[in-house]
Amino acid sequence: MDIRKITESLLLAGIKRKLIFWGIDQEIPVSVEIPRQEEHGDFSTNAAMQLSRHVGRKPRDVAAELVEAIRLEDERGWIASLSVAGPGFINIVLSDDAWREVLATALRKGEKFGSSDQGKGEKILIEFVSANPTGPLHVGHGRGAAVGDALARILSFEGVDVATEYYVNDIGNQMDNLGRSLFARYLQACGADAPLPEDGYRGDYLVGLAEEYYREIGARYMECSVEEALPVFRKVACDRILDGIRGDLDHFRVRFDRWYREESLHREGGVSEVIAELRNRGLLYDSEGAVFFKSEAEGDEKDRVLVRADGRTTYFAADVAYHRQKFRQGFTRMIDIWGADHHGYAPRLLAAMRGLGEDDNRIEILLVQFVTLIREGKAIQMSTRSGEFTTLREVLDEVGTDAARFFYLLRSFHSHLDFDLTLARTQSSENPVYYIQYVHARICSIFREASGQGAVPSDHPLLSSLTLPDELALMKKIARFPDVVDEAARTREPHRIPFYLLDLSREFHAFYQKHRFLGESPERTQGRLALAKAVKNVVCTGLSLIGVSAPERM
């Protein structure tokens, strides 16, 4: 039982009844919202104001008639009261029995409560992280990983057929620079005086990788030129760094259905094919030996190079080919999760898709804002070019996977995130993830104590014993969960889940401080144990949707 859907269905039935009476043969969109102020009811609707324009009457008069029509439709008595407020809003207060019925549904569905088939028939590909394999993942990549993985979990919970993909940029200048950098470090490991390339990668991770490779093969390549050694060291660097990335993501509970290599696009002719098609469509031109895509006409700040004067294709050319092949895989929608520094890249990519005759509305590009690490109240400075940066693995080792995932998702990814490492390590109620996990552990403790007293939770508890305002408040909070999951999926905003879990946890902790779960009358004990079980299930489900564990003891 989804309480919002039931409310909406009663409202729509009442509206239909009145539309027939008024002789209006059309559907009129209306909305049902949760009021910001509790005294305005459980739900509120602007239906009367929407309808008034079609019937030529004052909104408050229309609202009064709608109230009577909704009451006629409410045969099961789900609504306790309906009132007209302000210019014509209808405030809806549901009956206690309605909230108890939602609690019964939550208990019956267990950890499936909140799931739906809303997304049935949708097939969505989510591509995220896709960091260049030139070094370990840093803290910014961690936020994109948490957002993408949580979104995939939430959409799957909503019935969507979800696939996840990591796009590996393993071609181009950056990989050549990486190969030269590793070769220089290898020669240094051999005892040679070999300077790093001027635009090379300077992180210590390459020192360790070079020494490891030297221990495996010895000085085999010491006498080789850079040109001779480059193919080998480029591949070794890419493959081993990629293995490290996989390991870090696995530790972060992020797994991909597919790792798609840019190299395969070139090898299989995808890049040359898409360039030829764009040329045939009149969207390319030659200038000073290079090939340009006419992206300025599509809103980009300038036209973009697809093929350089020396014949090498650009990363943009490969990205166009990569996204073209996504369209050919039959996905109803594709979601790309990029760093905020790619904001200017989206228009040209979408322009290319339109130029190829594709529906660019099938692509959603989500831009994840930057992360600042805070320790003891001070920001940690980072610079990836100099090799001085904090890796995702370092963060995981310091605060743990649960805290890292939760803190990455505690704010909307549209906003800059200050990640407080000190708070994330704290084992107290000040730490939000600890605060929520403690609800689950505390309820598990209640059940262990109940079992010791012989108070085994009933499969069919008498929920009519739950009559106190605090009990109803907790039931209402539980009932909101399906709505929150639906909003998180629809808006692509996973942070709505931890926000809700914090609210639910505050409600439960407050209840626990005021009321006993055991030692009451048998009926009330069973009712409160049922209430605790529903909270436990929702917390467990909500945490699983953001990839965080729900411990039974803390």
Side-chain angles (χ1 to χ4, degrees):
M1 175 179 176
D2 186 319
I3 199 68
R4 180 193 279 270
K5 288 180 180 177
I6 286 177
T7 305
E8 287 176 344
S9 66
L10 289 173
L11 172 64
L12 291 172
I15 289 173
K16 184 176 181 180
R17 178 188 287 264
K18 295 308 298 181
L19 288 177
I20 292 172
F21 177 77
W22 290 326
I24 298 175
D25 185 21
Q26 70 178 92
E27 289 188 10
I28 299 172
V30 297
S31 63
V32 173
E33 304 295 338
I34 300 172
R36 293 181 180 275
Q37 296 174 281
E38 194 173 334
E39 59 268 24
H40 291 170
D42 298 315
F43 292 98
S44 180
T45 179
N46 66 349
M49 289 178 278
Q50 294 290 94
L51 290 169
S52 66
R53 291 177 290 178
H54 296 270
V55 298
R57 298 174 59 188
K58 294 180 180 179
R60 286 186 65 89
D61 293 340
V62 174
E65 290 197 38
L66 278 181
V67 163
E68 294 306 314
I70 294 169
R71 286 198 178 107
L72 290 172
E73 296 294 335
D74 184 25
E75 297 177 357
R76 296 193 60 179
W78 292 131
I79 296 175
S81 69
L82 292 161
S83 59
V84 180
F89 287 102
I90 298 175
N91 292 337
I92 305 166
V93 176
L94 300 181
S95 68
D96 293 354
D97 282 341
W99 297 112
R100 293 189 194 101
E101 186 65 27
V102 179
L103 178 59
T105 301
L107 291 166
R108 186 171 62 253
K109 289 191 172 183
E111 292 179 8
K112 292 292 185 183
F113 178 64
S115 64
S116 74
D117 59 0
Q118 291 270 82
K120 190 174 181 181
E122 274 201 276
K123 185 179 179 184
I124 295 179
L125 174 66
I126 307 179
E127 183 234 318
F128 58 105
V129 184
S130 297
N132 296 336
T134 55
L137 297 178
H138 57 62
V139 292
H141 297 135
R143 191 179 194 189
V147 169
D149 185 68
L151 184 56
R153 292 167 185 252
I154 292 166
L155 289 172
S156 294
F157 198 62
E158 286 280 280
V160 176
D161 181 4
V162 177
T164 57
E165 187 163 273
Y166 187 117
Y167 178 54
V168 183
N169 291 110
D170 56 354
I171 293 289
N173 282 336
Q174 63 179 6
M175 299 310 298
D176 288 344
N177 290 338
L178 179 67
R180 294 188 188 99
S181 301
L182 178 61
F183 183 53
R185 293 299 192 189
Y186 165 80
L187 292 176
Q188 292 170 9
C190 293
D193 182 15
L196 276 173
E198 186 176 338
D199 54 354
Y201 292 88
R202 302 181 179 279
D204 289 341
Y205 59 91
L206 281 183
V207 176
L209 201 160
E211 291 174 349
E212 175 188 278
Y213 195 49
Y214 170 69
R215 287 192 296 271
E216 292 176 16
I217 66 168
R220 182 187 308 171
Y221 295 99
M222 188 172 179
E223 301 301 326
C224 289
S225 67
V226 174
E227 290 71 22
E228 291 172 322
L230 182 57
V232 172
F233 283 82
R234 182 175 54 207
K235 186 177 188 309
V236 168
C238 177
D239 290 349
R240 299 199 181 192
I241 289 174
L242 203 56
D243 285 344
I245 289 173
R246 282 194 180 96
D248 289 348
L249 289 172
D250 189 65
H251 191 53
F252 198 41
R253 302 185 192 130
V254 175
R255 296 174 180 86
F256 289 91
D257 296 316
R258 184 168 67 164
W259 296 69
Y260 192 97
R261 294 232 182 196
E262 180 186 348
E263 178 273 333
S264 67
L265 277 173
H266 292 270
R267 174 168 39 83
E268 295 169 6
V271 179
S272 56
E273 177 186 317
V274 84
I275 290 172
E277 184 171 350
L278 287 170
R279 187 177 288 280
N280 289 338
R281 289 173 176 265
L283 297 172
L284 304 185
Y285 66 89
D286 300 316
S287 178
E288 298 181 354
V291 178
F292 287 79
F293 170 61
K294 299 176 182 177
S295 55
E296 186 176 5
E298 296 289 343
D300 198 359
E301 59 186 30
K302 63 180 181 179
D303 293 340
R304 300 293 171 174
V305 177
L306 289 183
V307 184
R308 300 180 181 91
D310 62 7
R312 291 177 300 127
T313 55
T314 61
Y315 294 120
F316 178 51
D319 278 346
V320 173
Y322 169 56
H323 282 82
R324 180 60 182 279
Q325 65 82 24
K326 286 186 184 184
F327 275 95
R328 293 177 172 177
Q329 293 179 46
F331 292 101
T332 54
R333 191 164 293 276
M334 293 148 279
I335 299 174
D336 287 0
I337 299 178
W338 297 348
D341 54 339
H342 286 72
H343 68 278
Y345 203 79
R348 74 194 67 154
L349 178 66
L350 296 177
M353 292 302 103
R354 290 192 297 273
L356 291 166
E358 303 290 0
D359 178 8
D360 65 319
N361 289 315
R362 287 168 58 194
I363 299 181
E364 298 176 43
I365 297 175
L366 309 181
L367 299 176
V368 177
Q369 293 298 318
F370 298 107
V371 179
T372 298
L373 289 181
I374 307 292
R375 183 182 286 118
E376 304 298 340
K378 295 182 179 179
I380 300 172
Q381 299 300 318
M382 293 181 289
S383 171
T384 55
R385 173 53 63 183
S386 67
E388 297 297 326
F389 60 90
T390 303
T391 66
L392 173 61
R393 176 63 74 139
E394 288 173 311
V395 172
L396 299 182
D397 290 344
E398 181 169 346
V399 306
T401 297
D402 283 341
R405 288 191 65 118
F406 190 91
F407 272 69
Y408 274 127
L409 295 168
L410 189 55
R411 298 284 179 270
S412 167
F413 65 79
H414 300 295
S415 304
H416 181 92
L417 173 67
D418 285 342
F419 190 125
D420 191 332
L421 293 166
T422 306
L423 180 60
R425 289 197 310 270
T426 304
Q427 295 189 353
S428 73
S429 60
E430 294 179 358
N431 182 344
V433 66
Y434 184 92
Y435 187 73
I436 294 169
Q437 288 178 318
Y438 192 60
V439 169
H440 189 269
R442 173 169 269 174
I443 294 173
C444 289
S445 175
I446 291 171
F447 287 146
R448 288 192 294 270
E449 186 179 350
S451 179
Q453 296 180 16
V456 180
S458 170
D459 290 335
H460 304 285
L462 192 63
L463 299 181
S464 59
S465 64
L466 301 173
T467 58
L468 297 181
D470 288 346
E471 292 167 335
L472 289 167
L474 201 48
M475 279 189 274
K476 288 182 180 183
K477 194 65 71 175
I478 292 167
R480 300 294 189 203
F481 183 58
D483 208 26
V484 172
V485 175
D486 180 61
E487 287 180 1
R490 182 168 41 82
T491 61
R492 316 302 197 217
E493 294 180 337
H495 74 274
R496 293 174 183 266
I497 303 294
F499 272 28
Y500 164 82
L501 292 176
L502 273 173
D503 280 345
L504 176 62
S505 297
R506 291 188 191 103
E507 198 82 48
F508 178 83
H509 283 305
F511 186 94
Y512 182 87
Q513 296 302 321
K514 290 173 63 177
H515 305 284
R516 296 188 301 175
F517 283 86
L518 304 175
E520 299 282 351
S521 67
E523 293 80 9
R524 173 146 279 170
T525 294
Q526 285 298 322
R528 287 188 177 169
L529 286 176
L531 197 57
K533 185 176 181 180
V535 172
K536 172 181 173 290
N537 289 343
V538 168
V539 168
C540 184
T541 300
L543 288 174
S544 72
L545 290 178
I546 58 174
V548 176
S549 69
E552 295 188 1
R553 298 176 187 269
M554 291 178 71

